[in-house]
Amino acid sequence: MGGLAELFSGMVSMGLGAYLAAVTERDTYASQEQRAACLPAEQRAEVHSILERYGVSRAAAAPLVDELCADERQWLRFKMDFDLRVEQPAAHRAWVSGLTMGLSYFVGGLIPMIPYFLLDNIREALVVSVAVTVVILLGFGYVKNYVAIRNHRAGAWGALQTLVIGVLAAGTSYVIVKSLDRGET
């Protein structure tokens, strides 16, 4: 029961954390966009300044500067993309991020708990739970690195890293629970 309670509270906490992080990102973008608005003469100077960093002369940049500064929205988009290097977040990103994180936490935490619901013997359930968790950690770590790097060696390294991190996290929890359990006698 304690595990299920933690699972639900962790799901809510992680989901809300991801939601709030995405909202903060959206608000930061809007704030930077408001500060980026300036007078037309300043716009032209800023576009020239940005393009000069790429070795584009003022004469070559003049038609582009005229085109970009003719429309305030285009100018802001250019400024955000090339000067501030901030990408506009998707409109529904906060909700999607919150739901994805919350549900991922729940499913990821529920899988190792399933043996406890199916088996009567707690020790057998623990062994099955550990085995299932090891397989999932290895699989996730391998796929994560293989997809990112496209290399089997990187996949194997990712599997090992993920397993070590999982073992350290589980070991820490185990030591804490055992320490608290000893204190109650």
Side-chain angles (χ1 to χ4, degrees), residues 162-178:
T162 305
L163 180 62
V164 167
I165 290 168
V167 167
L168 288 173
T172 301
S173 295
Y174 181 81
V175 167
I176 290 170
V177 169
K178 277 296 193 185

Side-chain angles (χ1 to χ4, degrees), residues 137-138 141-142 155-165:
L137 288 172
L138 289 171
Y142 180 87
W157 180 243
L160 181 63
Q161 286 176 321
T162 305
L163 180 62
V164 167
I165 290 168

Side-chain angles (χ1 to χ4, degrees), residues 4-184:
L4 281 177
E6 190 284 326
L7 192 59
F8 280 103
S9 65
M11 174 185 72
V12 170
S13 175
M14 296 296 282
L16 286 175
Y19 172 81
L20 292 174
V23 166
T24 300
E25 183 181 347
R26 182 187 65 207
D27 292 346
T28 300
Y29 181 88
S31 172
Q32 287 182 338
E33 190 175 47
Q34 282 181 334
R35 282 184 280 169
C38 59
L39 300 172
E42 292 172 344
Q43 289 176 355
R44 291 180 185 287
E46 283 199 54
V47 174
H48 279 295
S49 173
I50 293 167
L51 293 174
E52 284 173 355
R53 286 187 241 158
Y54 294 94
V56 179
S57 70
R58 284 194 173 263
L64 177 61
V65 171
D66 290 340
E67 187 74 26
L68 281 172
C69 292
D71 179 7
E72 180 74 19
R73 290 302 312 160
Q74 286 296 93
W75 149 249
L76 278 173
R77 188 167 156 221
F78 177 80
K79 170 93 171 162
M80 298 299 285
D81 289 348
F82 289 98
D83 189 25
L84 300 176
R85 297 179 186 191
V86 180
E87 188 175 322
Q88 184 174 14
H92 299 293
R93 179 174 179 188
W95 287 104
V96 171
S97 183
L99 286 173
T100 301
M101 181 60 76
L103 289 175
S104 296
Y105 184 90
F106 183 78
V107 170
L110 183 63
I111 291 172
M113 290 180 69
I114 291 173
Y116 294 99
F117 300 127
L118 300 177
L119 300 173
D120 291 329
N121 186 313
I122 298 294
R123 290 190 192 276
E124 288 176 14
L126 176 63
V127 170
V128 172
S129 179
V130 168
V132 166
T133 302
V134 165
V135 169
I136 289 172
L137 288 172
L138 289 171
F140 176 78
Y142 180 87
V143 169
K144 173 186 65 76
N145 270 25
Y146 183 79
V147 167
I149 302 172
R150 299 283 181 201
N151 172 313
H152 291 294
R153 185 175 182 168
W157 180 243
L160 181 63
Q161 286 176 321
T162 305
L163 180 62
V164 167
I165 290 168
V167 167
L168 288 173
T172 301
S173 295
Y174 181 81
V175 167
I176 290 170
V177 169
K178 277 296 193 185
S179 297
L180 292 173
D181 193 37
R182 285 188 192 132
E184 290 184 2

